[in-house]
């Protein structure tokens, strides 16, 4: 079954070009000319990746991204921005965009990024899980204080409370716990969690750290995930 890409773009010529190129690559394409229709198209479900223009009538791209990330931290979102739109690029990454593509863009580069993000977003059965396979007994738990994670069953809980994580959030937390007390740089986390062929910005690590912190630290008292300024992140037992 073909993967569906949602293109939210108000410039008709660009939208049509993207549709032609993506369909020629075997993808299903949904087009939305503004943020309102883009939101409706996203809520219809079944979207594997979103190409989202920043400057849109109705609901702009950043607001649409914010709404999407409130309910979905997993679906890859690539922002389409003007060359000089530095603030919009930063704002998009802060809101949870996986990457941005500057207009005018090279189609081959865009298609390569799309392929990379769709590989990363594939379910575990599709991905090469053998890369990080470990000889562990089923049911073995990694832990930091009252936070526990089971790599075999993909369960997470803190203080006995189950925590629901997306695939990427789980992989990021598992990586931190496997390296408890060791400070990991953004590049190390990118290689371990996103893979060597990741084509995006290291800021994606900061975005996903925020997602994970919100779920495993907020409301539980002691913080376990710590930022080491200028280096990266570490998880430690509470003191």
């Amino acid at each position: 079954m073909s993967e569906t890409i949602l293109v939210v773009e108000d410039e008709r010529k660009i939208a049509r070009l993207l549709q032609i190129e993506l369909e020629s690559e075997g993808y299903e394409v949904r087009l939305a000319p503004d943020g309102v229709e883009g939101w409706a198209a996203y809520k219809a479900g079944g979207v594997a990746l979103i190409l989202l223009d920043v400057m849109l009538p109705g609901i702009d791209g950043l607001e649409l991204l914010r709404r999407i990330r409130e309910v979905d931290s997993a679906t890859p979102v690539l922002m389409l921005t003007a060359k000089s739109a530095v603030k919009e690029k930063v704002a998009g990454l802060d809101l949870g965009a996986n990457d941005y593509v500057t207009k005018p863009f090279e189609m081959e580069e865009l298609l390569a990024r799309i392929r990379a993000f769709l590989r990363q977003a594939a379910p575990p059965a599709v991905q090469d899980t053998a890369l990080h396979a470990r000889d562990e007994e089923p049911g073995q738990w990694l832990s930091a204080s009252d936070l526990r994670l089971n790599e075999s069953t993909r369960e997470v809980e803190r203080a006995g409370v189950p925590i629901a994580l997306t695939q990427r959030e789980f992989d990021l937390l598992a990586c931190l716990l496997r390296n408890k007390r060791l400070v990991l740089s953004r590049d190390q986390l990118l290689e371990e969690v996103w893979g060597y062929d990741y084509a995006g910005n290291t800021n994606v690590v900061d975005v996903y750290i925020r997602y994970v912190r919100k779920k495993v630290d907020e409301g539980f008292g002691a913080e376990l995930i710590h930022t080491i300024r200028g280096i990266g992140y570490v998880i430690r037992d509470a003191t």
Side-chain angles (χ1 to χ4, degrees):
M1 185 175 179
S2 299
E3 292 164 302
T4 298
I5 295 177
L6 171 60
V7 177
V8 189
E9 169 61 66
D10 64 325
E11 293 187 47
R12 191 171 300 177
K13 289 184 179 179
I14 294 178
R16 180 57 179 157
L17 173 64
L18 288 169
Q19 181 181 25
I20 292 170
E21 293 290 342
L22 291 170
E23 287 180 345
S24 71
E25 294 290 316
Y27 301 111
E28 296 287 338
V29 178
R30 293 183 198 167
L31 294 180
D34 56 49
V36 174
E37 291 193 29
W39 180 234
Y42 166 76
K43 290 196 296 181
V47 174
L49 181 142
I50 302 168
L51 293 178
L52 177 58
D53 188 25
V54 172
M55 301 300 293
L56 292 170
I59 301 173
D60 68 26
L62 294 177
E63 172 61 19
L64 179 54
L65 174 62
R66 185 190 65 77
R67 294 188 185 189
I68 291 170
R69 285 297 183 239
E70 283 182 347
V71 297
D72 175 3
S73 61
T75 302
V77 178
L78 276 68
M79 304 295 291
L80 304 177
T81 68
K83 187 174 182 179
S84 61
V86 177
K87 290 183 179 180
E88 285 80 1
K89 293 174 185 177
V90 173
L93 291 169
D94 285 342
L95 285 169
N98 296 81
D99 204 355
Y100 61 84
V101 178
T102 300
K103 298 179 184 178
F105 48 81
E106 294 292 335
M107 187 59 66
E108 286 305 316
E109 178 187 358
L110 176 60
L111 291 173
R113 293 192 188 194
I114 289 171
R115 289 191 294 269
F117 280 114
L118 289 176
R119 283 197 301 271
Q120 294 157 19
V126 177
Q127 288 183 328
D128 183 10
T129 54
L131 180 64
H132 302 300
R134 288 169 172 80
D135 296 327
E136 296 177 340
E137 295 179 5
Q140 182 172 337
W141 293 82
L142 301 173
S143 66
S145 293
D146 56 352
L147 172 66
R148 303 202 311 152
L149 177 147
N150 189 311
E151 289 192 279
S152 299
T153 62
R154 299 186 75 82
E155 295 174 88
V156 179
E157 61 181 44
R158 183 160 185 192
V161 179
I163 297 173
L165 299 179
T166 67
Q167 176 192 327
R168 193 71 67 197
E169 291 167 353
F170 181 94
D171 292 343
L172 178 57
L173 181 59
C175 181
L176 291 169
L177 285 169
R178 285 194 299 269
N179 297 278
K180 187 169 72 171
R181 296 188 297 276
L182 297 178
V183 179
L184 300 178
S185 70
R186 290 173 178 81
D187 287 337
Q188 287 175 307
L189 289 167
L190 277 176
E191 289 179 3
E192 178 71 15
V193 178
W194 279 262
Y196 290 94
D197 61 352
Y198 176 72
N201 193 294
T202 57
N203 282 5
V204 71
V205 174
D206 303 323
V207 171
Y208 273 82
I209 285 287
R210 287 202 297 271
Y211 292 155
V212 174
R213 273 180 169 154
K214 186 173 183 179
K215 293 182 179 181
V216 307
D217 272 350
E218 289 187 12
F220 289 100
E223 294 185 359
L224 304 179
I225 300 173
H226 303 274
T227 301
I228 307 302
R229 184 178 292 275
I231 303 177
Y233 299 97
V234 62
I235 194 165
R236 302 187 183 113
D237 291 311
T239 56

